[in-house]
Amino acid sequence: MADSEPKGNILVVDDEPQITRVLKTTLSSQGYGVRSAGDGEEALGEMKGWSPDLIITDLRMPRMDGLELCRRVRIDSRIPIIVLSVKGEEAIKVQALDAGADDYITKPFSVNELLARVRAALRRAKAPEHSDTEIIDVGDFHIDIPARAVSVKNRDIHLTPKEFDLLVYLAKHPGKVITHRALLAAVWGPNSVEQPEYLRVFVGHLRKKLEPEDNPSRYIVTEPWVGYRFEPGD
């Protein structure tokens, strides 16, 4: 096999046969078990007798679209969901992420990017959840939550309380796209979801403190019009 990562079962949901064939061929060649469905309703039927480890779904489909599929799956499951979206659908991407999707890939997509996102989603699904009393060791980061202490590559970083809270929330969801509204609600409370300037300011502060000058977006990656993704390093 070309990939040494642990394999899993993937459900591909798309009403475009060409996209479905490409995804099935690509994922199968990497050792994943793959099944497909033409829309959300068919996908839910498929899942009654088969338990995938990951769902990759289009958004615009007949009968039941990807947005409703995300909502239905999230009623009783935490299975990772990656949505496929065409350019110009930023608003519906945000809706899908808010409905429970973990990540999105824009069509047309790179095969290498797709495989990387799949591996990251499966790794996150197998990782234990962090509690508020734990130490987070992820990539280049060591975060002691009770002591409110942070180090990056063994370099101590001094953060303000809100900078620390923002970093902890991102670090608990490595590799996952977090919407602006989700970050604002988690760090500043539900009454602040319409205050995106908070994020611009504090993400800017974090980048200056955490990231090397020659790569200012190494750890906190901007997903245009949608939110941010935390990449903690190797």
Side-chain angles (χ1 to χ4, degrees), residues 132 136 143-150 158-173 178 182-189 199 202-203 206 210 220 230:
D132 287 340
I136 301 175
I143 305 174
D144 186 331
I145 295 177
R148 299 185 73 83
V150 177
H158 300 287
L159 302 178
T160 67
K162 278 300 181 204
E163 290 169 357
F164 181 84
D165 292 343
L166 178 58
L167 176 62
V168 166
Y169 191 83
L170 289 167
K172 287 183 177 181
H173 305 85
I178 308 295
L183 279 170
L184 287 164
V187 179
W188 283 274
L199 283 179
F202 281 89
V203 168
L206 278 178
L210 300 177
I220 304 176
F230 182 66

Side-chain angles (χ1 to χ4, degrees), residues 122-188:
L122 290 173
R123 281 197 300 270
R124 289 196 301 273
K126 294 178 181 179
E129 286 290 314
H130 294 290
S131 74
D132 287 340
T133 60
E134 286 185 345
I135 289 174
I136 301 175
D137 277 304
V138 58
D140 297 337
F141 288 75
H142 177 85
I143 305 174
D144 186 331
I145 295 177
R148 299 185 73 83
V150 177
S151 64
V152 181
K153 291 186 173 181
N154 298 316
R155 177 172 61 93
D156 290 338
I157 307 294
H158 300 287
L159 302 178
T160 67
K162 278 300 181 204
E163 290 169 357
F164 181 84
D165 292 343
L166 178 58
L167 176 62
V168 166
Y169 191 83
L170 289 167
K172 287 183 177 181
H173 305 85
K176 180 178 178 179
V177 178
I178 308 295
T179 65
H180 297 130
R181 290 177 65 88
L183 279 170
L184 287 164
V187 179
W188 283 274

Side-chain angles (χ1 to χ4, degrees), residues 40 57-70 92:
T57 181
D58 190 18
L59 287 177
R60 299 189 182 281
M61 296 179 292
R63 296 200 300 176
M64 184 188 295
D65 63 13
L67 189 61
E68 182 61 23
L69 175 61
C70 289
I92 198 169

Side-chain angles (χ1 to χ4, degrees), residues 187-204:
V187 179
W188 283 274
N191 293 330
S192 300
V193 295
E194 302 299 335
Q195 305 293 332
E197 63 271 16
Y198 292 175
L199 283 179
R200 287 195 293 270
V201 171
F202 281 89
V203 168

Side-chain angles (χ1 to χ4, degrees), residues 50-78:
W50 184 68
S51 298
D53 300 299
L54 172 71
I55 297 172
I56 300 176
T57 181
D58 190 18
L59 287 177
R60 299 189 182 281
M61 296 179 292
R63 296 200 300 176
M64 184 188 295
D65 63 13
L67 189 61
E68 182 61 23
L69 175 61
C70 289
R71 294 193 185 103
R72 295 285 189 91
V73 170
R74 283 291 170 262
I75 291 173
D76 58 10
S77 174
R78 296 174 61 186

